[in-house]
Amino acid sequence: MSHRKKALNGDIIRQALKESVLKLDPRVMFRNPIMFVVEIGFVITLFLSFAPNAFGGNTPAWFNITVAIILLITLLFANFAEALAEGRGKAQADSLKHSKKDIVAYKESGGTLREVPSSELRRGDIVQIEAGQWVPGDGEVVEGLASVDESAITGESAPVIKEAGGDFSSVTGGTKVLSDWIKVRITSDPGESFLDRMISLVEGAKRQKTPNEIALNTVLTCLTIIFLIVVVTLPFFGNYLDVTLEVPVLIALLVCLIPTTIGGLLSAIGIAGMDRVTQFNVIAMSGKAVEAAGDINTIILDKTGTITYGNRMASEFISVGGTNDSAVAEWAVVSSLKDETPEGRSVLELAKKMGLRDNQSLAADGEWIEFRAETRMSGINLTDGRKVRKGSVDAIKKWVVEQGGAIPNDLDVKSDKVASAGGTPLAVAVDERLLGIIYLKDTVKPGMKERFEQMRQMGIKTIMCTGDNPLTAQTIAREAGVDDFIAESKPEDKIAVIKREQAAGKLVAMTGDGTNDAPALAQADVGIAMNSGTTAAKEAANMVDLDSDPSKIIEVVAIGKQLLMTRGALTTFSISNDVAKYFAIIPAMFMAAIPQMEALNVMRLDSPMSAILSALIFNAIIIPLLIPLAMKGIAYKPTSSAKLLQRNLLVYGLGGVIIPFAGIKLIDLMVQIWV
């Protein structure tokens, strides 16, 4: 990726400060039960600041005011954390909105082009786009070839070639055609485009809570209810001991004991996790997908366009059975005259370099046979009755036998040689005669082997799925460094592999870019579609990689693990904090009546009031101090789950006990001067 979005700026911070006040609305706070309890406590103590004897209490008005102010600051800090995380997503959404404009489109109507605004385009409309014009909406290229600038969406300045057929036919509204021309079939209605979905997804305010987050919220809410019951019953025990427990003191105790730290940061952690994914130019359709990525065990990768560049080009015509290379080239050209795929066009280009001319008249009125995954071949039925076919070697062999022909003895040797070199052999046949092979070459993307090794260290198994024959698949798998491969796979084979892994209790990720990958992308726990791929693939996936880099899955997995670790670590830290706050407030409340409780005052705090205020102040300021960690996430290094758990318990569990002791004592020393 050429750049990263700037994490924070003055505008985001100023807007977050404003939002932190607006979020004090009880209707908003109610969505966070923990902070809603704090807000109720703030309202009560604020009331007692002006009517200190309202509940028969005798705490000084200044103490009540101080507690109210500290609770208000706690609320503002928690709201600020969430607003700051949302602000980054909204800033990115605003930048995307600049790319969304009402573009003039040239729509085909009755054989002519009619100028219409893009807002009037509907699914199925055909538009023509020439050099210098903007793509008016999401669609598939149905004719032509053009260089397209996608920098408004991906941030990459390098143009992308878009062409009819294959897996590079998808175009996105808001991008610009730089050269040549294309005809595009619109695939989305207004308001449903990829850009529209991106804008809504990156706006953190619209993020739905994930199952793990909901479960943790439930646990934290239960803890809050338990502590609330404990605090409500304390006055009855106090009466038995002849100790008067004032309402502000009880509120302070409740706020310090409930998990306010994680309650204030929980939403920010989730939003920031999704935002970190977008910083790697990956759009996550849900937080659930990001979380699932953190627990991935197996990754299924499509070969063409994912592990390899996908542009398999004809590089040689190889004759078999006593024919000559020129005859193979001639009939390969005939079979490719109406083939709009990159491979088909490369056959024509290679023949042109060899000095062969296209015999357009021969195929002029012929019946074109489209390529299908089931038959794995294409071709043409000529008007003179001859049938020409081009496709996988096995499929053509079967077809030739069905036509009553024989298989040349040297076919398998020559096709295996092409496959073992990493190429793809396509056989060419006319009626019952198999003439030869078209040698198609593909190239593994650089750095893939190193990236797959990283996945191996993370405990992730990589499986490559390809429609190529076993020898070709084996060569590419060895060169790329994947753990396993499945050759001659059909769409249903990819789904079967995913279901098999899932049945074994594993979470599976799938990356792909073609329409045939769509079912598998939908079945996988995490489906990552390449932005260069088809609309069907992007709609089926729950993540879209704008850079079309399949190895990006490593960053996505790391971010998923980061999200889960950050949430767990800060939850541990928050609950551990309660131990120190307990030792600060409980002795302060009961020492007068029970002198023996002085033994619990291990911090030797100055007075009951200073102890309560110190614990409250620490409880408030720890939230903004942890915001950078919540936003950035805990650093992840590939290691075992046991070691990660041990490290986090040591750092955030033990640290969550020690730091509050030191922090509350330091604050108490400063509070003494004032109190």
Side-chain angles (χ1 to χ4, degrees):
M1 191 176 68
S2 61
H3 73 286
R4 296 278 173 86
K5 283 86 179 172
K6 188 176 179 182
L8 295 173
N9 57 44
D11 291 337
I12 293 176
I13 293 173
R14 282 190 291 273
Q15 184 62 30
L17 289 171
K18 178 182 176 182
E19 288 288 328
S20 64
V21 177
L22 296 176
K23 285 176 179 288
L24 290 174
D25 184 337
R27 292 169 297 181
V28 177
M29 296 298 300
F30 186 75
R31 296 199 298 259
N32 188 335
I34 297 172
M35 302 315 296
F36 185 63
V37 169
V38 177
E39 186 170 46
I40 293 173
F42 160 68
V43 172
I44 294 172
T45 52
L46 182 64
F47 171 74
L48 291 175
S49 300
F50 299 99
N53 300 318
F55 300 120
N58 59 3
T59 52
W62 69 264
F63 180 81
N64 296 345
I65 292 173
T66 304
V67 171
I69 291 173
I70 295 172
L71 294 183
L72 176 61
I73 292 172
T74 304
L75 290 168
L76 291 173
F77 281 156
N79 289 346
F80 179 73
E82 182 177 33
L84 201 62
E86 290 174 354
R88 294 203 300 187
K90 289 177 180 177
Q92 188 180 1
D94 289 339
S95 68
L96 288 171
K97 286 174 184 176
H98 291 302
S99 302
K100 193 176 184 304
K101 60 190 80 173
D102 200 10
I103 300 165
V104 174
Y106 296 91
K107 175 183 172 183
E108 274 195 357
S109 180
T112 61
L113 295 178
R114 184 165 59 91
E115 190 175 303
V116 298
S118 59
S119 57
E120 292 185 10
L121 293 176
R122 295 294 182 270
R123 190 189 302 266
D125 288 344
I126 303 292
V127 296
Q128 182 166 312
I129 312 161
E130 298 183 353
Q133 296 176 353
W134 295 88
V135 177
D138 292 359
E140 297 276 357
V141 179
V142 294
E143 187 178 340
L145 177 149
S147 174
V148 179
D149 175 12
E150 295 188 328
S151 58
I153 305 298
T154 66
E156 295 290 344
S157 57
V160 181
I161 300 298
K162 297 290 183 177
E163 55 191 347
D167 294 335
F168 298 93
S169 60
S170 172
V171 291
T172 305
T175 57
K176 187 178 183 180
V177 173
L178 299 179
S179 67
D180 303 294
W181 62 273
I182 48 176
K183 282 188 179 180
V184 174
R185 180 186 293 111
I186 299 298
T187 57
S188 63
D189 291 326
E192 300 176 357
S193 71
F194 181 61
L195 190 57
D196 288 313
R197 285 184 288 136
M198 282 175 63
I199 290 169
S200 64
L201 288 166
V202 298
E203 289 183 303
K206 296 182 180 179
R207 184 190 67 90
Q208 293 186 351
K209 286 183 171 64
T210 63
N212 281 347
E213 192 173 345
I214 292 171
L216 182 56
N217 253 322
T218 303
V219 171
L220 296 178
T221 301
C222 291
L223 283 175
T224 301
I225 293 171
I226 291 170
F227 282 123
L228 182 61
I229 294 171
V230 170
V231 171
V232 167
T233 56
L234 272 179
F236 299 101
F237 290 100
N239 290 335
Y240 176 77
L241 297 170
D242 199 25
V243 176
T244 302
L245 297 176
E246 305 290 348
V247 172
V249 173
L250 291 173
I251 290 173
L253 175 64
L254 175 62
V255 170
C256 285
L257 292 185
I258 63 177
T260 50
T261 305
I262 188 61
L265 295 173
L266 186 59
S267 183
I269 293 169
I271 295 171
M274 286 189 68
D275 182 65
R276 283 196 296 276
V277 173
T278 66
Q279 289 181 43
F280 280 93
N281 259 13
V282 175
I283 299 298
M285 305 302 182
S286 68
K288 182 180 179 181
V290 180
E291 282 190 355
D295 291 325
I296 287 300
N297 308 108
T298 306
I299 295 177
I300 312 295
L301 301 111
D302 180 50
K303 178 187 80 77
T304 306
T306 304
I307 293 176
T308 65
Y309 281 110
N311 293 326
R312 298 182 301 171
M313 300 299 179
S315 62
E316 187 180 354
F317 297 114
I318 303 172
S319 60
V320 297
T323 58
N324 56 64
D325 295 348
S326 296
V328 178
E330 179 184 347
W331 288 106
V333 167
V334 172
S335 69
S336 304
L337 285 172
K338 294 186 178 182
D339 186 352
E340 288 294 326
T341 65
E343 292 87 350
R345 280 194 287 271
S346 73
V347 169
L348 302 182
E349 289 172 8
L350 177 60
K352 190 174 181 180
K353 289 178 183 177
M354 295 173 60
L356 296 176
R357 289 189 297 178
D358 300 346
N359 193 348
Q360 296 281 356
S361 60
L362 188 61
D365 298 317
E367 178 192 359
W368 171 244
I369 307 299
E370 293 278 355
F371 176 86
R372 290 188 295 128
E374 292 79 7
T375 61
R376 292 189 293 149
M377 62 180 174
S378 62
I380 188 169
N381 294 336
L382 302 177
T383 54
D384 61 8
R386 286 180 292 180
K387 298 178 180 179
V388 186
R389 294 293 185 270
K390 172 188 69 180
S392 72
V393 174
D394 288 343
I396 296 298
K397 283 167 66 175
K398 182 180 178 182
W399 184 80
V400 167
V401 171
E402 290 174 351
Q403 301 301 310
I407 306 302
N409 295 329
D410 55 349
L411 173 65
D412 289 340
V413 174
K414 291 186 177 182
S415 64
D416 288 349
K417 185 177 180 181
V418 169
S420 61
T424 301
L426 289 184
V428 179
V430 180
D431 293 330
E432 76 284 352
R433 189 178 176 195
L434 206 157
L435 302 175
I437 295 168
I438 305 170
Y439 182 178
L440 298 180
K441 278 187 177 179
D442 200 355
T443 308
V444 173
K445 294 180 178 178
M448 295 302 295
K449 193 164 189 174
E450 292 75 14
R451 303 289 270 173
F452 289 142
E453 178 58 34
Q454 282 183 271
M455 292 185 192
R456 204 169 289 113
Q457 291 175 5
M458 295 165 74
I460 299 172
K461 179 183 179 182
T462 54
I463 302 175
M464 180 186 78
C465 286
T466 175
D468 291 334
N469 63 67
L471 277 174
T472 301
Q474 185 180 38
T475 302
I476 296 294
R478 184 171 57 248
E479 187 178 344
V482 295
D483 296 318
D484 199 1
F485 67 91
I486 299 173
E488 296 179 340
S489 68
K490 297 176 182 178
E492 54 268 29
D493 295 328
K494 296 177 184 178
I495 296 176
V497 174
I498 293 172
K499 287 183 176 179
R500 185 187 69 204
E501 294 289 316
Q502 289 172 332
K506 298 178 181 179
L507 289 181
V508 182
M510 165 79 188
T511 67
D513 61 353
T515 300
N516 64 328
D517 296 324
L521 288 168
Q523 176 66 38
D525 299 287
V526 179
I528 305 180
M530 304 296 104
N531 189 46
S532 61
T534 62
T535 300
K538 288 189 280 190
E539 288 180 347
N542 50 24
M543 290 189 186
V544 177
D545 177 17
L546 301 180
D547 296 330
S548 300
D549 176 8
S551 65
K552 191 81 69 65
I553 185 67
I554 293 177
E555 279 78 16
V556 173
V557 169
I559 290 169
K561 290 184 181 294
Q562 241 189 349
L563 174 62
L564 296 173
M565 287 170 53
T566 303
R567 188 180 292 154
L570 291 183
T571 301
T572 303
F573 184 86
S574 177
I575 294 174
S576 299
N577 275 348
D578 292 344
V579 176
K581 296 170 194 171
Y582 171 87
F583 278 99
I585 294 182
I586 295 298
M589 294 171 63
F590 293 100
M591 272 192 301
I594 310 174
Q596 291 86 348
M597 292 199 74
E598 173 68 24
L600 294 178
N601 187 19
V602 293
M603 287 183 274
R604 300 302 170 194
L605 302 180
D606 182 62
S607 67
M609 284 190 175
S610 74
I612 292 168
L613 292 178
S614 298
L616 264 185
I617 292 170
F618 177 84
N619 190 65
I621 64 174
I622 196 64
I623 293 176
L625 292 177
L626 290 174
I627 287 177
L629 182 61
M631 300 283 279
K632 186 179 179 181
I634 294 171
Y636 169 74
K637 293 181 180 179
T639 184
S640 67
S641 299
K643 287 185 178 179
L644 283 175
L645 179 61
Q646 183 180 9
R647 173 179 172 271
N648 287 336
L649 285 176
L650 181 64
V651 175
Y652 298 98
L654 186 59
V657 174
I658 295 173
I659 291 175
F661 271 99
I664 291 172
K665 179 62 179 177
L666 182 62
I667 294 170
D668 180 70
L669 294 174
M670 293 185 285
V671 169
Q672 286 178 33
I673 302 171
W674 176 48
V675 174

